[in-house]
Amino acid sequence: MRTFIPIVLLATLLGLTGCEPEGPASDIGDNIDQVLDNAVSSSEPQQVETVAPTSAPEPEVIEQQKEQLQHAVEEASQEAQDRLDEILENTLDQP
């Protein structure tokens, strides 16, 4: 009996760790992924230059890519923050 209770408790805890969270905050990770995908796909198409695989990219190209990525991250962060604020507002308004 002494070994049965700890085994049952351990199995219960392991089972609970596998459960997905429920509620308004459970879909935030999916929303962040969706916003990032939308930001990347909605950016203006860039002209791609064919370069030899051994040559390093131009510093201007690297800087431009950094700026695009930073802009996409900032936009996604702002949209995620807005969505989180909306969820919190709706949650706090409920009785």
Side-chain angles (χ1 to χ4, degrees), residues 28-41:
I28 288 178
D30 295 334
N31 288 338
I32 291 172
D33 293 339
Q34 182 181 14
V35 168
L36 278 174
D37 290 342
N38 290 343
V40 171
S41 65

Side-chain angles (χ1 to χ4, degrees), residues 2-83:
R2 286 184 184 179
T3 58
F4 180 71
I5 292 175
I7 291 173
V8 170
L9 287 175
L10 181 63
T12 304
L13 288 175
L14 288 175
L16 288 175
T17 58
C19 296
E20 288 193 29
E22 294 181 9
S26 64
D27 64 342
I28 288 178
D30 295 334
N31 288 338
I32 291 172
D33 293 339
Q34 182 181 14
V35 168
L36 278 174
D37 290 342
N38 290 343
V40 171
S41 65
S42 67
S43 65
E44 296 179 15
Q46 300 294 318
Q47 291 184 358
V48 178
E49 295 181 21
T50 306
V51 244
T54 57
S55 67
E58 297 292 326
E60 296 85 17
V61 173
I62 294 173
E63 195 61 37
Q64 184 180 22
Q65 289 175 345
K66 283 182 185 178
E67 290 173 6
Q68 288 175 346
L69 182 60
Q70 181 65 29
H71 178 71
V73 168
E74 288 173 0
E75 185 177 308
S77 176
Q78 183 61 42
E79 288 185 29
Q81 183 65 43
D82 292 344
R83 176 74 175 129

